[in-house]
Amino acid sequence: MLFAFLVSCSKVPITGRNQLHLLPESQMIAMSLTAYSDFLKTSEVVEKGNDYSSVNRVSDKLIPAVEAVLKQEGYADLIEGYVWEVTLVESKEVNAWCMPGGKIVVYTGILDYTKTDAGLAVVMGHEIAHAVARHGNERMSQGLLASTGYIALDIALANQPTETRALLLGAVGVGTTVGVLLPFSRLQESEADRLGLIFMAASGYDPHTAIDFWTRMSANGTSVPEFLSTHPSDETRINNIKNEYMVEAMKFYKTN
């Protein structure tokens, strides 16, 4: 057990925080791909219209920028094996997520709060940040130890396959599929805010847009429990964006 902890440490890109990963990322990506395919079979996918165009327009700018930033900062290896894909799903849920491997889902319910392409870039940048920072792996590692007592994914799958797959979905944010969502820690949320601002700025979207978006989310917190249950939007978050992360993000800002 001690050996596993010692050899499974890695660093979050840009923030440099040490984190624990007990699971091979290749297995996380493989399981995520299966879960993503299963999710699409039971979801109403939107394939045309203005919202569809907006989501794809933002992803077309955001994904190359993410790749460029990670390469520039020396973290290109974090997205090895990623095959990016973005899907818009018809749902009243105020939610979005990005799985290990680059599968991104945006729910139409959150578009009432994003308002513009820049607002959508806030959300998508934030969710991509969770994926490239490998927060899902970190949460699932913690969950496997706490819930199943296993540190090996293959053993957990063999002994408790249903529980383990549910744990994966909860770890990457697909809460409604399993009925429970593993909450991101405030530290992970702060990292996703910080990295997400950098990603959107490098895409050509003004990171100041994030302040307006999170203010709208905070003001309507009681009406959007699905999203805010794991993405707490409060005064501290907005202040951190204004006073700590904005200066750094603006260094990456590329106007079109």
Side-chain angles (χ1 to χ4, degrees):
M1 177 78 74
L2 177 60
F3 177 75
F5 274 86
L6 291 175
V7 300
S8 302
C9 290
S10 61
K11 289 185 180 293
V12 175
I14 299 177
T15 73
R17 176 177 69 88
N18 289 320
Q19 59 182 174
L20 179 68
H21 293 154
L22 298 177
L23 310 174
E25 193 65 13
S26 59
Q27 283 186 291
M28 289 290 294
I29 291 175
M31 288 186 66
S32 294
L33 180 58
T34 299
Y36 174 73
S37 298
D38 291 342
F39 172 83
L40 294 184
K41 292 176 184 176
T42 59
S43 302
E44 184 180 349
V45 177
V46 178
E47 297 182 322
K48 61 182 179 179
N50 292 335
D51 293 340
Y52 170 82
S53 297
S54 178
V55 168
N56 282 275
R57 189 165 55 243
V58 172
S59 66
D60 285 347
K61 296 176 65 176
L62 193 57
I63 290 170
V66 170
E67 294 174 341
V69 168
L70 292 178
K71 182 178 181 179
Q72 174 184 318
E73 299 298 317
Y75 290 98
D77 61 306
L78 290 180
I79 53 174
E80 287 181 0
Y82 272 48
V83 178
W84 298 99
E85 184 176 342
V86 61
T87 302
L88 179 64
V89 170
E90 184 67 41
S91 173
K92 293 181 180 180
E93 288 181 52
V94 182
N95 203 3
W97 40 264
C98 178
M99 286 184 164
K103 306 307 182 187
I104 308 165
V105 168
V106 177
Y107 295 64
T108 55
I110 202 168
L111 301 181
D112 290 336
Y113 298 89
T114 57
K115 304 293 186 184
T116 64
D117 281 10
L120 188 55
V122 176
V123 172
M124 294 175 67
H126 181 95
E127 296 307 319
I128 290 173
H130 276 309
V132 300
R134 298 187 175 178
H135 288 159
N137 194 326
E138 188 175 24
R139 290 200 297 173
M140 192 170 179
S141 297
Q142 296 165 348
L144 281 172
L145 287 173
S147 302
T148 69
Y150 299 116
I151 60 171
L153 183 58
D154 53 351
I155 296 175
L157 281 170
N159 287 273
Q160 299 187 36
T162 301
E163 293 86 346
T164 304
R165 288 188 176 89
L167 193 62
L168 168 76
L169 293 172
V172 299
V174 192
T176 57
T177 302
V178 298
V180 65
L181 208 58
L182 298 178
F184 285 112
S185 69
R186 288 191 175 273
L187 180 57
Q188 291 170 332
E189 279 298 302
S190 294
E191 287 177 340
D193 285 341
R194 180 179 170 184
L195 294 175
L197 284 183
I198 290 172
F199 293 155
M200 69 175 296
S203 306
Y205 295 107
D206 187 348
H208 289 89
T209 306
I211 298 171
D212 294 333
F213 169 75
W214 289 115
T215 298
R216 289 193 295 271
M217 292 294 288
S218 180
N220 293 277
T222 56
S223 63
V224 285
E226 295 90 351
F227 194 71
L228 293 184
S229 63
T230 57
H231 296 69
S233 178
D234 52 24
E235 184 178 355
T236 299
R237 157 175 264 152
I238 295 170
N239 285 338
N240 286 342
I241 290 173
K242 287 180 179 178
N243 302 320
E244 295 186 30
Y245 310 145
M246 190 60 65
V247 172
E248 178 184 39
M250 289 302 293
K251 295 177 181 179
F252 291 82
Y253 185 36
K254 298 179 179 179
T255 57
N256 295 324

